[in-house]
Structures are given as C-alpha cells and as structure tokens.
Amino acid sequence: MSDPLIIALDGMGGDGAPDIVVRGAAIARERLPQARFLLFGKSELLEPLVAKEEILKDCLEIRHTDQVVTGDDKPSYALRYLKESSMRKAIDAVHDKEAHCCVSAGNTGALMALAMFGLRTLPGVSRPAICSFFPTRKGETCMLDLGANVECGADNLVQFAVMGEVFARTVMGIAKPTVGLLNIGTEDLKGRDEIRLAAAMLRQSALPINFAGFVEGDGITAGVVDVVVTDGFTGNVALKTAEGMSRLISGFLREAFQSSLPAKIGYLFARRAVAKLRYRVDPRRYNGAVLLGLNGIAVKSHGGTDDIGFANAISVAADMYLQGFIEKMKVDFETLAGEGTAVDASATTGVAS
Amino acid sequence: MSDPLIIALDGMGGDGAPDIVVRGAAIARERLPQARFLLFGKSELLEPLVAKEEILKDCLEIRHTDQVVTGDDKPSYALRYLKESSMRKAIDAVHDKEAHCCVSAGNTGALMALAMFGLRTLPGVSRPAICSFFPTRKGETCMLDLGANVECGADNLVQFAVMGEVFARTVMGIAKPTVGLLNIGTEDLKGRDEIRLAAAMLRQSALPINFAGFVEGDGITAGVVDVVVTDGFTGNVALKTAEGMSRLISGFLREAFQSSLPAKIGYLFARRAVAKLRYRVDPRRYNGAVLLGLNGIAVKSHGGTDDIGFANAISVAADMYLQGFIEKMKVDFETLAGEGTAVDASATTGVAS
C-alpha cells in the first residue's frame, strides 16, 4: 500500500456522468487506499459532487476542461477538434506519465481513437482490441476483440491471443490461462480460413500459450477456456446477443414472480437467493472493457453503468497497473517478433472486403 | 383436414433416435390428424417402437434402410457412400413426390449436403440457408443463416432476407414481417462492406420487403424485427452464445433455489411460475431449423432434442407445406430475378478469403 497509484478519470463520459464517476471513485478508493485521482471535466459540475464524498477529500484533484466528447461524436471529429476534452486530457495524463492508467465511460469509438493516437500501440501490435469479461459456470472468462476491428486477419487473431493471455494472467490472476479461438465447430477443418491459419500459428509458436483450439458460442459461458479470441464483428455480436438473452430471461423471471399469488409468496421467501442470482449475472460486475495493445492503460466503462460498475472499471485499470500488465505484454511481443516471418508472412491472409 | 399430408422421417438421426422420432411422430399426429408418415430406418429397431404407439397404427409406414448417417460422417462421405441411408431416403421421398416434407435430427452438414443434392435450390437461389427461431420479449423472431454458409456476399444476404421474409409470412403467420440485417451498430456507416451493400440493395429493391435496417445482437431477443439476416458464421456464433447464456442462467437459478431453506420454500410456492418461465425459453419450443432455399421442404431437428422437440420440428415442416411456402418463394425469387443486374452485379462483392 506504499507506492501511489494515480488514476486519471474522464469526468464527463457516460450516461450517468459526472455523478457516477465521482461516486465510483469514492467506492474504488475504499478498495484501493493508495489510489489518487486526477478528475477531468467541468469544475463547476464536479466540485459540488466531490465535496459530498469525504473519502475523496485529500486524494482527488479536479482538472478543469470545457470540451466534452458526446456519444454522437465521430472518432475522427473527436481526434481533430476535441483536443481539450476531458476524455483526451485523461488519456494525455497517462501518456505524460502523470497518471498510471485512465478510465472513461464515454463514446467507445472516440476513446479508442484518442487512446490509439495518444498512447500508440505497443511494439509488435498491429491493432489494439477491446477485451471484456463474461460470466461462466466456473467464474469468468475474457473475450476479445469486442468491436474495435471489423475485419481481422490471422496475424491479428494471434496477437489478440497473446494480449488476452497476458490479461488473464495479470488481471484475472490465472497462472496458466487457456486460450481458444471462437469458431462454428471444434474440428480442425471448420470455420473461416483466417481462423484455421491463426490456430496453426498458435500451435507452432514458441510462446508459452496454453492454446486449447476452437471454442463454439456456447463454450463462452460454459467456461471451457479462460480467453476467447475472435474478430471485432463476431465478438461484438456475441457480447450483445448474450446481454440480450440475459435481459430477456431477467424480464421473464420478474414476470413469473408476479404472475400469481403463490409466485409472489414464493418470491418473498426466495428473494435473497434471487438477488444472489442477479448478482452472479450482473453486468456491472463484468464492467470494464479494456483497450489492449496500447502503450498505456485505458479502460472503457459501459456507457450506461452506475457508480458500482464504474468503480469496478477503476479496479480493472488499477489491477492492470499494479500487476505490471504493460511490461508483461512487452516481453511476450518481443518473443512473438523473434518468431519473425511465420507471423509476418501471414499478414496478407486476412479477409479482404 | 381433408387432403393428406405425408411426412418423411429419418428414423435414425439424432442422439435419441429412433425412440424420439417415433414418439415425436405420435405427438405430432395428435396435432395433425391428416398426417401420414414414411419412416426410414432399421425396421428391427423401429417396429417394436411403432407398435407401442396406438395413434400411429394406420398412418405410419416403415421403410427399411440399413445405412445410417452418423454424427461424425463428413457431408462428402454421406453424399458419396450413404445413398441407402435413412436420411437420404427421407429426402428422396420428397424429391420423388412421395412425401410433402421431411424431418431429420441427424448430422446437419450431411443433411444440408444431401438435401442440396437431392432437392436442388429454387431458381434464383445461390445458396440455401439454415433458419430457426429465437424467443423474444414479444414472442419469437427467426434468424438466418445459422451455419450453412461461412462466408456470405451481399447477394447472399439479400436472398436470405427474401427467404426469411417468406418464412415469417407463411410459418409464423406475420402479415408484413420486418427484416433487419445483423450488424455491430445501427448507423449507416457501421459494419462490413457486404452488409452495407446488402442494405442498399434491399432499400432499392422493388420487392415488398419491410426492411428495417441494421439490428444489433441485443436486438434479436428484444424482438425489434421479425427476421434477422446474417452470414452463417455470425449466426451460428450468436445462436450458440444465446443458448449458452440461457443454460448458464438456468443453472444459476436452480442453484439459487437450492441455496437455503427459505429459497427451497420459495420454490415450492413459485414452482408453477418458474415452470412457465422455463417453458418460455425452452429450446424445444424453438426446435426445427429449416433449410430454406431448396426446391422441397427439409427440416432439421436439434440433434439432442427429445420427443416434444422432434414433434415441434414436424409441425414446422407441416406448416411450411400447408401454407404453400415453396410456391410463395418461387414468386418472390421471380421478382428478384426480374430486378436482374442490380443483384447479379453484386455477386462478386462478397468477402473473399
């Protein structure tokens, strides 16, 4: 608890900002006594909120910014015209080594663009990816890419596998994470060319990756591997389909408990158990999509999250810093670069549109 | 109830065959008094099972076959060497106009290959697609392709939209079904090239399709459209991810109700309501993946289904025949062909691997 941990926060990003950002920081501070915050945004809005949180009194500094990246701003627009925005300033703080990591619940596309521009990718990484958690029977699994890259070649998938493996080792605390490629069958001949090629590359690689082959859609929540690798299009569809299914069943459950008098009585008895169930699939627990592959730590909180979800996103960012995520990534990508041509030669085999 | 309805059944396909096939036929017959069955498979196994079902006594004919398509058989192997299999014979019965439709719970890839070879595609259809149901807040939605085509161009997606629209009109009884393209955002600029091109083609088409634009993954179970169109890779991942999520939550719910004495008491009161919830998301209700685009009706039941699920798959096949699905498809594909070059020119714009 000795070394300071400095976290830059985009005070204006997300549907519930700035309230959820400030309250989220207060909750995170309880878990991380060494944390200090740089909070970027409109000081006239932030000051009264911060004043209400006793715990933040000596560990939070407000940095005033006028500009805000809205949900509708195109990434290119944010990059060119919103250089004084709270989102950009939070990223710059990481780049300038004022902060160890940053968190924003704002516009994903803009955050991705600003973070790529501001932090650059790590040596050897062609494209960063968005990574997040899924609940599983055994605990949780992480999946990437969830939407940063619409088209991915085999080389991208291999890089995602490396990034995801390091993430699972450092943030999820799994000593030897298993890694699988999302596919429509587990047999060697199934699926798209770039996926089969990526599998061959991962099997040949000297990297100490515990590659488990192909995983199907239902393998994600079954927890058959710790890291699920896919392209950003498929990953985004899978993530949102799973969220939609979860919401559908929650709605049906609510209706079921209100459908009759016995059901209502049953709910009174079972409500603690049901609350536990809700907790197990609570999207707030799985909040915090990480932009992996950057030369710096940037975490994206879900735009519609509340304070607890935002605090969880802060915890993810803090974990990545405290566990030395960036340094571990550098080591693995040096190994991958050492394998040279096998990986580079495949750079042209991706899907062409 | 006058005209006969003759259904060919693959007696040997699926994990629970032949039992679930025979019992499924009995259940289906209660719903469809005009149905008659041609049951293909090993007579020594089928006869004692059929003898147990009084209702099938005068409406089922066993046709002995020695060969069986197993779950491990490659489609090419089934096509070349299993010409005397129960699956092939059931399809041949449709081709030879002995039966109006056929149902199999066997190997999907083999069924697809045998059905394509045996029934051929309808004029104007480049590739058939697998279509099935999803539960939604409002009822149900259908989605295609669920795995027949790993790579799809814009022209394929447009054809799938037409097939799905006719399916929703005839089998789901929706007068003016809405159709959406699965994408990772609803804005015009989002997603892959072939999806944007397909959207432009559907907007320009003279077909009376109620095209609603792009749909995201969580839009499937929200029921924002009646028909969701996607390529077979994405569709298969989405389907299996949704199934996995549903299974995860069911498991958590079971554990929740056993987690304490109050929860157990609560379950006693709420069990009918919970049973209703289970019914609403019961995969058996959504059983029956249809091979759309063929010149004949072939329905694939889930391999792991039980008798109720198999009966539901029979109902889907019967509905398609009784509602004149094939004739309606022919009309729409003639219109599409009349639009000519707009569609044909795009045949080369698909994703190349």
Side-chain angles (χ1 to χ4, degrees), chain A residues 20 23-25 27-28 31 103 105 282-289 299-302 304-316:
Chain A
I20 56 128
R23 286 206 312 274
I27 295 167
R31 301 177 194 162
V103 182
D282 187 347
R284 296 181 307 185
R285 283 182 62 216
Y286 303 97
N287 194 22
V299 169
K300 162 77 174 76
S301 167
H302 200 296
T305 194
D306 63 4
D307 49 357
I308 295 171
F310 197 84
N312 290 344
I314 294 176
S315 294
V316 170

Side-chain angles (χ1 to χ4, degrees), chain A residues 13-76:
Chain A
D15 305 340
D19 301 53
I20 56 128
V21 176
V22 174
R23 286 206 312 274
I27 295 167
R29 179 64 209 273
E30 283 175 38
R31 301 177 194 162
L32 300 158
Q34 78 273 46
R36 295 184 47 79
F37 300 100
L38 295 179
L39 176 60
F40 295 88
K42 301 194 179 211
S43 54
E44 66 275 20
L45 296 175
L46 297 172
E47 270 163 14
L49 294 169
V50 171
K52 280 192 272 181
E53 306 292 340
E54 184 62 27
I55 195 169
L56 297 176
K57 210 176 155 206
D58 297 318
C59 64
L60 183 143
E61 182 187 325
I62 294 172
R63 298 265 179 100
H64 178 77
T65 61
D66 267 324
Q67 284 185 332
V68 172
V69 176
T70 70
D72 301 325
D73 288 330
K74 291 240 159 64
S76 56

Side-chain angles (χ1 to χ4, degrees), chain A residues 253 257 262-278, chain B residues 253 255-271 274:
Chain A
L253 189 61
F257 277 125
K264 286 177 187 169
I265 296 170
Y267 179 69
L268 290 180
F269 280 98
R271 68 180 187 278
R272 299 190 84 191
V274 172
K276 206 162 73 183
L277 163 71
R278 280 196 214 285
Chain B
L253 189 62
E255 283 173 37
F257 278 124
Q258 291 168 349
S259 62
S260 68
L261 185 60
K264 285 177 189 170
I265 296 170
Y267 178 70
L268 290 181
F269 280 99
R271 70 179 185 279
V274 172

